Amino acid sequence: MESPICSSSLPPPLPLPSSLNSSSTGSAGSIPGNSTSSSQILPPLSIGSGNYDRAWNDPPVFSLEVNGMGKPVPTKLNKRVAYPGISSTTIPSIGDGGIVTNTPVPLLRPPLCRIDNSTSGTGVSQLSNLPPMILIPPTKVDFIPSFPSPGSTPEDEDTQRQGTTSSITTVDVTMSQIEMKTRIEVMKILEEALSDGIHLDSNIEAEVKKRLEILDSKWDSLPSEVQLKLNELGNWLEKRDYKRAETIQLSLSAEFMYHCAPWIMGLKKIIRKNL
Amino acid sequence: MSTYAEFIEQQESRDGVRFSWNVWPSSKLEATRLVVPLGCLFTPLKERLDLPPIQYDPVLCTRNTCRAILNPLCQVDYRAKFWVCNFCFQRNPFPQQYAAMTETCQPAELIPQFSTIEYTIMRATVPPPIFLYVIDTCMDVEELGSLKESLQLSLSLLPSNALIGLITFGKMVSVHELGGQTGCAKSYVFRGTKDISAKQLQEMLGLTRYAGGVGQGQPQQPGVPPGQAQRPQQPANRFLQLLSSVDMQVTDLLGELQRDPWGVPQGKRSLRSTGVALSIAVGLLDCCFPGAGSRIMVFINGPCSQGPGQVVNDDLKQPIRSHHDIEKDNAKYLKKAVKHYEALAERAASSGHAIDIYSCALDQTGLLEMKSCCNTTGGHMVMGDSFNSSLFKQTFQRVYNRNEHGELRMGFNASVEVKTSRELKINGAIGACVSLGIKSSSVSETEMGLGGTCQWKICTLNPNATLGIFFEIVNQHGAPIPQGGRGCIQFITQYQHSSGQQRVRVTTVARNWADATSNIYHISAGFDQECSAVLMARLAVFRAESDEGTDVLRWVDRMLIRLCQKFGEYSKDDPGSFRLPENYTLYPQFIFHLRRSQFLQVFNNSPDETTFYRHMLNREDLTQSLIMIQPILYSYSFNGPPEPVLLDTSSIQADRILLMDTFFQILIFHGETIAQWRAQRFQDLPEYENFKQLLEAPVTDAQDILQSRFPMPRYIDTEQGGSQARFLLSKVNPSNTHNNPYAYGGVRKT
């Protein structure tokens, strides 16, 4: 009897699946609400799981950059195999995917990973030797939100409604990279940016000011992630990097619109007039 | 070029065209004997980053009945400055601007690599794109809240020069005035039971036509970015306003939007006036911006239950129609509703306005009745469970996808014209388009799809939007091979670019003629099985819309058998001897999966689901359409890299993970042993890092697919014996069942 997997004491040379490249490093999460996937590891592309309470088999959540600005990627997995024996020229052989053996697998555990400390070589065998800690990118900080994620006991109805987009949010900067500012400092930067450069129509400017006042009054009730993003936005505005400030504004709109709706358009106006 | 496969791939990436046959039989009789009709899949806005920016008008053939555009296939006399049209063989002089042209210094449109070229018409005046939101308010607070958030986000994704409008509906229809005094929202309310004509609407709302005009005439101001130059000096009316001036007001308006205040008694449905709301939206744009690129975006949470376009009544005891009801002619509102929406779709299409439908509900919402709104105008049809799902939220964000220049990846108000050599005629087109009814000498009497024309209109299109166009060879049997040895087809696409420019994209392709009696091998070698499968699928679905399901299946079967008879090699009464040429081997599988797909089998699908699936098949490009017809199945194991496997039960193995992409669903299936190992959490142990990576590999690949797919597919993670494994089992070929466990792919007897 032939077995596609060697015995557990003698692991086979590790293969190189196409997707097991260096990009498969990142934060981990799980898909709630699906019993079969409780241990499923979400690779780094997604920033949260779908809303399983409201929709059936909801896909994971990607950032706005991926959804709105991402370049379409050509389908990588687009090969098919023909049934063997139909072609007048070639017949797929075992291993080509044409014929698949249906040998039962008696193994009780997966083949062991080969531990080899040499640094030469590429592919999975090298990757598999890396300690798991290295798989977590050093420049990313995963924020566990202060509000409950879907499935947990709802304490705050408002924040629970945001669960689909903000259950796990990855912010692309470390805490040390963000110069933490107080509410007063951020508001001051925003007001300065409003009066800087091109002047808006007086009516519009008054509307923007009104929205900044709303932001000021609601600051303390905002989730920590929103405050952090506002800090970051303030930093970019201070450095007059309006492109990056716009990215933060869009990310706030996409992920926290419930909290941002009353004032986000004010920020947009400030950024757009300076762009 | 070494193989036909490479040639086909190169042509597709360069011109966005794939033909079912790449060498054409020189006579009509021989063409009919090929079984699969001559046709092509044409992607008008196929993304080409290397196209040169051309800011002058194309040169046209001077013959009035031809008007083909100068292209690299034309013969050119550089000394006398003449060119010969490759369609009608007319000798044409070059315009004065081409005086300095020589054989070594050619204009871009004569360089062979630019068989596809795009002209920007600088003197055209194009108004900014218009986005009119039509929002159903008959939904629970949570749903409405999520929808409002998505719409508020979209205001940041739209270009600031876009015009925006807002209509809400429930039992009544409200047209919201924008740009008035802030803090004093005003709206005009219409009854949802009575249709309003465009003229009545014009009088009631005091609408005026956009003064800027549409089309050619006024030159663009030099130095001013296109699109901004054409901002209307004064808004045409109070209901469609420049986004940059009203974005804050619209955000507030959306934020304050409440669910429909009319109470819903126990056992009743909400009274929803979708038909009238859509009619008012079409009328509003029709009156103010005829011919301007626009999207009417309708968001619905349930079926229209009153007034024109009603698909069900408000009594919950009466369920919405099923396929069975339609078959038994027991769908009371169907015909009348279809007629209403078809009339609206035609009105919108004639003005160049697209209608998108975003339907999120657990029950049907009437997509079947409303399908013409999307299919005729090229608008999106999105079907989901909830506005609070990531499926809807992300799909909606992707509508506003942008290119590397920050411009929306969408074109507006496009027309596609096809010109052919004399030996070819056009049968018709199948896709999200409407016939413009333009007859020419290239138009055949025989119709396939939307025929009787050489021009079609697509009110909005994205880079994936693809038309299936069918041709007929009219050369008589025994006549010599046509002049030049090859036939030519030219596609002329005129459209409004999202940057505000009017553009003309010209694609000219040629293929060799061959005498089928002596050179059948050449013709056979040029067969493109993938393109043929998609074209046949579009034809079958087109037939299924009007014919009996069994008749269509029989037709599909008969066509496959005839093709195998023609090109297969076999000895009579010996099934084992049957062989097909290499470039035909996948075709039987495609047709096998097509005939058992949701496109032709309606069992276990609602009429709305069938409508949605067929809509997607008719608009996507070849790769995506083929995934819908025959899903992709990849296997992941410790044995080697992921490999494509047969869509067959024999591919389900205990020690493998399968990744299936059906376009509408991405499914990861863990074999029995893998699932056990996963449950025992071996992936958490450092010595089983390889197992962890094996588990991650299909997830990463699935995410790659999820990132770029529109609309967002459902995502299923399951395992052997899991209830959701049914989605895999329903797609695979059941070669291995409880009746034949030792059949092909099963355990071998020793």
Short mmCIF file of all heavy atoms in Angstrom, two decimals, chain A residues 4 19 36 40 51 54 56-60 62 67-68 80-81 83 85-86 88-89 95 101 110 113 211 269, chain B residues 143 244 252 385 388 390 394 398 402 579-580 582 630 639 643 648 653 678 687-688 699 701 714 717 724 733:
data_model
loop_
_atom_site.label_atom_id
_atom_site.label_comp_id
_atom_site.label_asym_id
_atom_site.label_seq_id
_atom_site.Cartn_x
_atom_site.Cartn_y
_atom_site.Cartn_z
N PRO A 4 0.73 8.62 0.74
CA PRO A 4 1.25 9.91 0.31
C PRO A 4 2.05 10.60 1.40
O PRO A 4 2.76 11.53 1.15
CB PRO A 4 0.00 10.71 -0.04
CG PRO A 4 -1.09 10.05 0.74
CD PRO A 4 -0.70 8.63 0.91
N SER A 19 1.50 29.39 -1.78
CA SER A 19 1.14 30.48 -0.88
C SER A 19 1.97 30.50 0.39
O SER A 19 1.85 31.39 1.20
CB SER A 19 -0.33 30.38 -0.54
OG SER A 19 -0.59 29.06 -0.16
N THR A 36 -16.58 24.80 12.84
CA THR A 36 -15.49 24.09 12.19
C THR A 36 -14.25 24.94 12.05
O THR A 36 -13.21 24.46 11.70
CB THR A 36 -15.91 23.63 10.79
OG1 THR A 36 -16.28 24.79 10.05
CG2 THR A 36 -17.03 22.65 10.84
N GLN A 40 -9.18 28.20 13.08
CA GLN A 40 -8.69 28.71 11.81
C GLN A 40 -7.81 29.95 12.00
O GLN A 40 -8.16 30.84 12.77
CB GLN A 40 -9.88 29.06 10.93
CG GLN A 40 -9.51 29.53 9.55
CD GLN A 40 -8.78 28.46 8.79
OE1 GLN A 40 -9.33 27.41 8.53
NE2 GLN A 40 -7.55 28.71 8.43
N ASN A 51 -19.65 39.20 9.62
CA ASN A 51 -20.70 39.31 10.61
C ASN A 51 -21.59 38.07 10.56
O ASN A 51 -22.58 38.04 9.83
CB ASN A 51 -21.51 40.58 10.32
CG ASN A 51 -22.57 40.82 11.36
OD1 ASN A 51 -22.77 40.01 12.27
ND2 ASN A 51 -23.26 41.93 11.23
N ARG A 54 -25.51 38.25 11.43
CA ARG A 54 -26.49 38.80 10.50
C ARG A 54 -26.47 38.11 9.14
O ARG A 54 -27.47 38.12 8.45
CB ARG A 54 -26.24 40.29 10.27
CG ARG A 54 -26.30 41.14 11.49
CD ARG A 54 -27.69 41.31 12.02
NE ARG A 54 -28.61 41.93 11.08
CZ ARG A 54 -29.82 42.35 11.41
NH1 ARG A 54 -30.26 42.23 12.65
NH2 ARG A 54 -30.61 42.90 10.51
N TRP A 56 -24.99 34.94 6.44
CA TRP A 56 -24.58 33.56 6.35
C TRP A 56 -23.26 33.47 5.58
O TRP A 56 -23.15 34.03 4.50
CB TRP A 56 -25.73 32.85 5.63
CG TRP A 56 -25.53 31.46 5.25
CD1 TRP A 56 -25.41 30.39 6.08
CD2 TRP A 56 -25.48 30.96 3.91
NE1 TRP A 56 -25.28 29.26 5.35
CE2 TRP A 56 -25.33 29.58 4.02
CE3 TRP A 56 -25.56 31.55 2.66
CZ2 TRP A 56 -25.24 28.77 2.90
CZ3 TRP A 56 -25.47 30.75 1.54
CH2 TRP A 56 -25.32 29.37 1.67
N ASN A 57 -22.27 32.81 6.17
CA ASN A 57 -20.95 32.65 5.54
C ASN A 57 -20.37 33.98 5.06
O ASN A 57 -19.93 34.11 3.91
CB ASN A 57 -21.05 31.67 4.36
CG ASN A 57 -21.20 30.24 4.84
OD1 ASN A 57 -20.65 29.87 5.87
ND2 ASN A 57 -21.95 29.45 4.11
N ASP A 58 -20.40 34.93 5.93
CA ASP A 58 -19.90 36.26 5.58
C ASP A 58 -18.38 36.23 5.41
O ASP A 58 -17.69 35.60 6.20
CB ASP A 58 -20.29 37.22 6.72
CG ASP A 58 -20.61 38.60 6.21
OD1 ASP A 58 -20.91 38.72 5.01
OD2 ASP A 58 -20.56 39.55 7.00
N PRO A 59 -17.88 36.89 4.39
CA PRO A 59 -16.42 36.86 4.17
C PRO A 59 -15.68 37.72 5.19
O PRO A 59 -16.28 38.58 5.84
CB PRO A 59 -16.26 37.46 2.77
CG PRO A 59 -17.47 38.27 2.56
CD PRO A 59 -18.57 37.65 3.34
N PRO A 60 -14.37 37.49 5.33
CA PRO A 60 -13.59 38.32 6.26
C PRO A 60 -13.57 39.78 5.82
O PRO A 60 -13.83 40.10 4.66
CB PRO A 60 -12.20 37.71 6.22
CG PRO A 60 -12.17 36.77 5.10
CD PRO A 60 -13.55 36.48 4.68
N PHE A 62 -11.71 43.23 4.96
CA PHE A 62 -10.43 43.78 4.50
C PHE A 62 -10.44 45.29 4.71
O PHE A 62 -11.50 45.90 4.85
CB PHE A 62 -10.22 43.47 3.02
CG PHE A 62 -10.07 42.01 2.74
CD1 PHE A 62 -11.17 41.23 2.44
CD2 PHE A 62 -8.83 41.40 2.79
CE1 PHE A 62 -11.05 39.88 2.20
CE2 PHE A 62 -8.69 40.05 2.56
CZ PHE A 62 -9.80 39.29 2.25
N ASN A 67 -10.09 47.20 -0.44
CA ASN A 67 -11.38 47.21 -1.13
C ASN A 67 -11.51 48.30 -2.18
O ASN A 67 -12.08 48.08 -3.23
CB ASN A 67 -12.51 47.38 -0.11
CG ASN A 67 -12.75 46.13 0.68
OD1 ASN A 67 -12.59 45.04 0.16
ND2 ASN A 67 -13.10 46.27 1.94
N GLY A 68 -11.00 49.47 -1.86
CA GLY A 68 -11.29 50.59 -2.74
C GLY A 68 -10.13 51.04 -3.60
O GLY A 68 -10.33 51.53 -4.71
N ARG A 80 -6.95 23.95 -14.56
CA ARG A 80 -7.85 22.81 -14.44
C ARG A 80 -7.18 21.60 -15.07
O ARG A 80 -6.29 21.77 -15.91
CB ARG A 80 -9.17 23.07 -15.17
CG ARG A 80 -10.00 24.15 -14.52
CD ARG A 80 -11.24 24.41 -15.33
NE ARG A 80 -12.08 25.41 -14.71
CZ ARG A 80 -11.91 26.71 -14.84
NH1 ARG A 80 -10.95 27.18 -15.59
NH2 ARG A 80 -12.72 27.56 -14.24
N VAL A 81 -7.62 20.43 -14.69
CA VAL A 81 -7.05 19.24 -15.31
C VAL A 81 -8.15 18.47 -16.03
O VAL A 81 -9.31 18.51 -15.61
CB VAL A 81 -6.37 18.31 -14.28
CG1 VAL A 81 -5.05 18.89 -13.82
CG2 VAL A 81 -7.27 18.04 -13.10
N TYR A 83 -9.90 14.99 -17.58
CA TYR A 83 -10.01 13.58 -17.20
C TYR A 83 -8.98 12.78 -17.98
O TYR A 83 -8.79 13.01 -19.17
CB TYR A 83 -11.41 13.05 -17.49
CG TYR A 83 -12.35 13.30 -16.36
CD1 TYR A 83 -13.05 14.50 -16.28
CD2 TYR A 83 -12.52 12.37 -15.35
CE1 TYR A 83 -13.90 14.76 -15.22
CE2 TYR A 83 -13.35 12.61 -14.28
CZ TYR A 83 -14.05 13.80 -14.22
OH TYR A 83 -14.87 14.04 -13.16
N GLY A 85 -7.23 10.05 -20.19
CA GLY A 85 -7.72 9.15 -21.22
C GLY A 85 -8.52 9.82 -22.30
O GLY A 85 -8.78 9.24 -23.33
N ILE A 86 -8.87 11.11 -22.10
CA ILE A 86 -9.70 11.77 -23.10
C ILE A 86 -8.84 12.41 -24.18
O ILE A 86 -9.24 12.57 -25.32
CB ILE A 86 -10.62 12.83 -22.44
CG1 ILE A 86 -11.72 13.24 -23.40
CG2 ILE A 86 -9.85 14.04 -21.97
CD1 ILE A 86 -12.79 14.06 -22.77
N SER A 88 -5.88 12.90 -26.93
CA SER A 88 -5.19 12.04 -27.88
C SER A 88 -3.69 12.18 -27.76
O SER A 88 -2.95 11.46 -28.38
CB SER A 88 -5.63 12.38 -29.30
OG SER A 88 -5.45 13.76 -29.52
N THR A 89 -3.23 13.14 -26.95
CA THR A 89 -1.78 13.34 -26.85
C THR A 89 -1.22 13.03 -25.47
O THR A 89 -0.40 12.15 -25.31
CB THR A 89 -1.41 14.79 -27.23
OG1 THR A 89 -2.32 15.66 -26.57
CG2 THR A 89 -1.48 15.00 -28.71
N GLY A 95 0.22 12.62 -9.54
CA GLY A 95 0.95 13.79 -9.09
C GLY A 95 0.63 15.02 -9.91
O GLY A 95 0.80 16.13 -9.47
N THR A 101 -4.80 9.24 -5.98
CA THR A 101 -4.96 7.96 -5.29
C THR A 101 -5.79 8.17 -4.03
O THR A 101 -5.74 9.21 -3.41
CB THR A 101 -3.59 7.39 -4.88
OG1 THR A 101 -2.91 8.40 -4.15
CG2 THR A 101 -2.78 6.97 -6.07
N PRO A 110 0.21 14.64 12.41
CA PRO A 110 0.86 15.14 11.19
C PRO A 110 2.36 14.88 11.23
O PRO A 110 2.92 14.70 12.32
CB PRO A 110 0.56 16.64 11.22
CG PRO A 110 0.06 16.95 12.57
CD PRO A 110 -0.36 15.70 13.22
N CYS A 113 7.82 18.47 11.92
CA CYS A 113 8.56 19.49 11.21
C CYS A 113 10.04 19.22 11.40
O CYS A 113 10.47 18.90 12.51
CB CYS A 113 8.18 20.82 11.84
SG CYS A 113 8.79 22.21 11.02
N ARG A 211 -18.69 71.09 13.24
CA ARG A 211 -18.37 69.67 13.34
C ARG A 211 -17.16 69.43 14.24
O ARG A 211 -17.09 68.43 14.95
CB ARG A 211 -18.14 69.09 11.94
CG ARG A 211 -19.45 68.70 11.31
CD ARG A 211 -19.43 68.61 9.81
NE ARG A 211 -20.73 68.16 9.32
CZ ARG A 211 -21.79 68.94 9.19
NH1 ARG A 211 -21.73 70.21 9.51
NH2 ARG A 211 -22.94 68.46 8.74
N LYS A 269 -13.22 67.96 4.73
CA LYS A 269 -13.13 69.30 4.14
C LYS A 269 -11.76 69.92 4.40
O LYS A 269 -11.15 70.50 3.51
CB LYS A 269 -14.21 70.21 4.75
CG LYS A 269 -15.59 69.95 4.21
CD LYS A 269 -15.78 70.66 2.89
CE LYS A 269 -17.11 70.31 2.29
NZ LYS A 269 -17.14 70.43 0.86
N GLU B 143 -30.39 47.40 10.39
CA GLU B 143 -30.10 47.35 8.96
C GLU B 143 -29.92 48.76 8.40
O GLU B 143 -28.98 49.04 7.68
CB GLU B 143 -31.26 46.66 8.22
CG GLU B 143 -31.32 45.17 8.35
CD GLU B 143 -30.19 44.49 7.61
OE1 GLU B 143 -30.12 44.62 6.38
OE2 GLU B 143 -29.38 43.82 8.26
N SER B 244 -19.20 68.33 -3.57
CA SER B 244 -18.31 69.12 -2.69
C SER B 244 -19.08 70.21 -1.94
O SER B 244 -18.65 70.64 -0.88
CB SER B 244 -17.17 69.73 -3.51
OG SER B 244 -17.71 70.50 -4.54
N ASP B 252 -25.47 64.57 7.09
CA ASP B 252 -26.44 64.80 8.16
C ASP B 252 -27.80 64.21 7.81
O ASP B 252 -28.46 63.58 8.64
CB ASP B 252 -26.59 66.30 8.42
CG ASP B 252 -25.32 66.88 9.02
OD1 ASP B 252 -24.45 66.08 9.42
OD2 ASP B 252 -25.19 68.11 9.09
N ASP B 385 -27.47 39.06 2.28
CA ASP B 385 -28.43 38.76 3.35
C ASP B 385 -28.80 40.01 4.14
O ASP B 385 -29.91 40.14 4.63
CB ASP B 385 -27.82 37.76 4.33
CG ASP B 385 -27.57 36.42 3.70
OD1 ASP B 385 -28.18 36.16 2.66
OD2 ASP B 385 -26.77 35.64 4.25
N ASN B 388 -25.83 44.83 7.02
CA ASN B 388 -24.85 44.79 8.09
C ASN B 388 -23.87 43.62 7.92
O ASN B 388 -23.29 43.13 8.87
CB ASN B 388 -25.57 44.68 9.44
CG ASN B 388 -24.67 45.06 10.60
OD1 ASN B 388 -23.52 45.44 10.39
ND2 ASN B 388 -25.18 44.94 11.80
N SER B 390 -20.44 41.94 6.03
CA SER B 390 -19.21 42.40 5.38
C SER B 390 -19.31 42.17 3.87
O SER B 390 -18.66 42.86 3.10
CB SER B 390 -17.99 41.70 5.97
OG SER B 390 -17.96 40.36 5.58
N GLN B 394 -18.34 45.51 1.86
CA GLN B 394 -17.11 45.53 1.06
C GLN B 394 -17.42 45.56 -0.43
O GLN B 394 -16.71 46.18 -1.20
CB GLN B 394 -16.24 44.34 1.42
CG GLN B 394 -15.83 44.41 2.88
CD GLN B 394 -14.84 43.34 3.25
OE1 GLN B 394 -13.65 43.55 3.18
NE2 GLN B 394 -15.33 42.19 3.62
N ARG B 398 -16.23 48.48 -3.10
CA ARG B 398 -15.52 48.15 -4.34
C ARG B 398 -16.16 48.76 -5.58
O ARG B 398 -15.55 48.79 -6.64
CB ARG B 398 -15.40 46.63 -4.50
CG ARG B 398 -14.42 46.07 -3.52
CD ARG B 398 -14.34 44.58 -3.51
NE ARG B 398 -13.53 44.16 -2.36
CZ ARG B 398 -13.08 42.95 -2.19
NH1 ARG B 398 -13.35 42.01 -3.07
NH2 ARG B 398 -12.35 42.66 -1.14
N ARG B 402 -10.70 52.53 -7.41
CA ARG B 402 -9.98 53.54 -8.20
C ARG B 402 -8.72 52.96 -8.84
O ARG B 402 -8.17 52.00 -8.35
CB ARG B 402 -9.56 54.70 -7.30
CG ARG B 402 -10.72 55.60 -6.94
CD ARG B 402 -10.36 56.53 -5.83
NE ARG B 402 -11.52 57.30 -5.43
CZ ARG B 402 -11.76 58.55 -5.86
NH1 ARG B 402 -10.93 59.14 -6.67
NH2 ARG B 402 -12.83 59.19 -5.47
N ARG B 579 -10.89 9.72 -28.28
CA ARG B 579 -9.85 10.70 -27.94
C ARG B 579 -10.22 12.04 -28.56
O ARG B 579 -10.81 12.10 -29.63
CB ARG B 579 -8.49 10.28 -28.53
CG ARG B 579 -7.89 9.03 -27.92
CD ARG B 579 -7.29 9.34 -26.54
NE ARG B 579 -6.66 8.16 -25.98
CZ ARG B 579 -7.28 7.21 -25.31
NH1 ARG B 579 -8.60 7.27 -25.15
NH2 ARG B 579 -6.62 6.18 -24.82
N LEU B 580 -9.85 13.10 -27.84
CA LEU B 580 -10.05 14.46 -28.37
C LEU B 580 -8.70 15.14 -28.51
O LEU B 580 -7.78 14.84 -27.74
CB LEU B 580 -10.91 15.28 -27.41
CG LEU B 580 -12.42 15.14 -27.50
CD1 LEU B 580 -13.09 15.87 -26.34
CD2 LEU B 580 -12.96 15.66 -28.82
N GLU B 582 -5.80 17.88 -27.98
CA GLU B 582 -5.38 18.51 -26.72
C GLU B 582 -6.19 19.76 -26.37
O GLU B 582 -6.55 19.98 -25.22
CB GLU B 582 -3.89 18.86 -26.85
CG GLU B 582 -3.25 19.46 -25.61
CD GLU B 582 -3.05 18.45 -24.48
OE1 GLU B 582 -3.03 17.24 -24.76
OE2 GLU B 582 -2.93 18.89 -23.33
N GLN B 630 -17.33 26.14 -14.45
CA GLN B 630 -16.67 25.01 -13.78
C GLN B 630 -15.79 25.55 -12.67
O GLN B 630 -14.71 26.08 -12.92
CB GLN B 630 -15.81 24.19 -14.75
CG GLN B 630 -15.22 22.98 -14.02
CD GLN B 630 -14.23 22.18 -14.83
OE1 GLN B 630 -14.35 22.11 -16.04
NE2 GLN B 630 -13.26 21.60 -14.16
N ASN B 639 2.48 16.62 0.27
CA ASN B 639 3.21 15.97 -0.82
C ASN B 639 3.91 16.91 -1.79
O ASN B 639 4.80 16.53 -2.51
CB ASN B 639 2.25 15.11 -1.65
CG ASN B 639 1.81 13.90 -0.88
OD1 ASN B 639 2.25 13.72 0.26
ND2 ASN B 639 0.97 13.09 -1.47
N GLU B 643 -2.01 21.79 -6.05
CA GLU B 643 -2.18 21.38 -7.44
C GLU B 643 -3.65 21.38 -7.81
O GLU B 643 -4.50 21.08 -6.98
CB GLU B 643 -1.58 19.99 -7.67
CG GLU B 643 -2.15 18.95 -6.73
CD GLU B 643 -1.55 17.57 -6.95
OE1 GLU B 643 -0.62 17.46 -7.74
OE2 GLU B 643 -2.05 16.63 -6.31
N ASP B 648 -14.16 16.41 -8.84
CA ASP B 648 -14.69 15.06 -8.81
C ASP B 648 -14.59 14.55 -7.37
O ASP B 648 -13.69 14.94 -6.62
CB ASP B 648 -13.82 14.18 -9.74
CG ASP B 648 -14.42 12.84 -9.98
OD1 ASP B 648 -14.39 11.99 -9.05
OD2 ASP B 648 -14.91 12.61 -11.10
N GLN B 653 -9.91 13.77 -0.32
CA GLN B 653 -9.00 12.84 0.35
C GLN B 653 -8.86 13.22 1.81
O GLN B 653 -8.91 14.41 2.15
CB GLN B 653 -7.62 12.90 -0.30
CG GLN B 653 -7.60 12.64 -1.79
CD GLN B 653 -7.75 11.17 -2.11
OE1 GLN B 653 -7.04 10.34 -1.54
NE2 GLN B 653 -8.65 10.84 -3.00
N ARG B 678 -6.46 19.08 13.21
CA ARG B 678 -6.76 20.47 13.55
C ARG B 678 -7.52 20.55 14.87
O ARG B 678 -7.24 21.40 15.71
CB ARG B 678 -7.58 21.11 12.43
CG ARG B 678 -7.79 22.60 12.62
CD ARG B 678 -8.37 23.26 11.41
NE ARG B 678 -9.76 22.87 11.18
CZ ARG B 678 -10.66 23.66 10.62
NH1 ARG B 678 -10.32 24.87 10.22
NH2 ARG B 678 -11.89 23.25 10.42
N GLU B 687 6.69 22.00 17.04
CA GLU B 687 7.27 20.97 16.16
C GLU B 687 6.36 20.65 14.97
O GLU B 687 6.75 19.94 14.06
CB GLU B 687 7.62 19.71 16.96
CG GLU B 687 6.46 18.99 17.61
CD GLU B 687 6.19 19.47 19.03
OE1 GLU B 687 6.38 20.68 19.29
OE2 GLU B 687 5.78 18.66 19.88
N TYR B 688 5.14 21.16 14.98
CA TYR B 688 4.22 20.94 13.85
C TYR B 688 3.95 22.25 13.11
O TYR B 688 2.86 22.50 12.63
CB TYR B 688 2.91 20.31 14.34
CG TYR B 688 3.10 18.91 14.83
CD1 TYR B 688 3.16 18.63 16.18
CD2 TYR B 688 3.29 17.88 13.91
CE1 TYR B 688 3.39 17.34 16.63
CE2 TYR B 688 3.53 16.58 14.35
CZ TYR B 688 3.57 16.32 15.71
OH TYR B 688 3.80 15.05 16.13
N VAL B 699 -5.97 29.35 3.12
CA VAL B 699 -6.63 30.56 3.64
C VAL B 699 -6.01 31.79 2.98
O VAL B 699 -6.71 32.71 2.55
CB VAL B 699 -6.50 30.64 5.18
CG1 VAL B 699 -7.22 31.85 5.71
CG2 VAL B 699 -7.07 29.38 5.82
N ASP B 701 -4.47 31.86 0.07
CA ASP B 701 -4.87 31.88 -1.34
C ASP B 701 -6.32 32.35 -1.48
O ASP B 701 -6.67 33.08 -2.41
CB ASP B 701 -4.70 30.49 -1.97
CG ASP B 701 -3.23 30.19 -2.26
OD1 ASP B 701 -2.43 31.14 -2.22
OD2 ASP B 701 -2.89 29.02 -2.52
N ARG B 714 -19.23 34.58 -0.83
CA ARG B 714 -19.39 34.03 0.53
C ARG B 714 -18.13 33.20 0.84
O ARG B 714 -17.49 32.68 -0.07
CB ARG B 714 -20.63 33.14 0.59
CG ARG B 714 -21.91 33.92 0.42
CD ARG B 714 -23.10 33.04 0.67
NE ARG B 714 -24.33 33.68 0.25
CZ ARG B 714 -25.04 34.50 1.01
NH1 ARG B 714 -24.66 34.78 2.23
NH2 ARG B 714 -26.16 35.04 0.55
N ASP B 717 -15.83 27.74 5.51
CA ASP B 717 -14.75 26.93 6.05
C ASP B 717 -15.39 25.67 6.61
O ASP B 717 -16.19 25.75 7.54
CB ASP B 717 -14.05 27.73 7.16
CG ASP B 717 -12.87 26.98 7.72
OD1 ASP B 717 -13.07 25.83 8.15
OD2 ASP B 717 -11.76 27.52 7.73
N GLN B 724 -21.69 22.10 5.97
CA GLN B 724 -21.45 22.98 4.82
C GLN B 724 -20.62 22.31 3.73
O GLN B 724 -20.39 22.91 2.68
CB GLN B 724 -20.77 24.25 5.28
CG GLN B 724 -21.53 24.94 6.37
CD GLN B 724 -21.73 26.41 6.07
OE1 GLN B 724 -22.36 26.76 5.08
NE2 GLN B 724 -21.19 27.23 6.90
N ASN B 733 -18.20 16.09 -9.48
CA ASN B 733 -18.78 15.03 -10.28
C ASN B 733 -18.92 13.80 -9.38
O ASN B 733 -17.93 13.33 -8.82
CB ASN B 733 -17.85 14.74 -11.46
CG ASN B 733 -18.29 13.52 -12.23
OD1 ASN B 733 -19.48 13.27 -12.39
ND2 ASN B 733 -17.31 12.76 -12.71
#
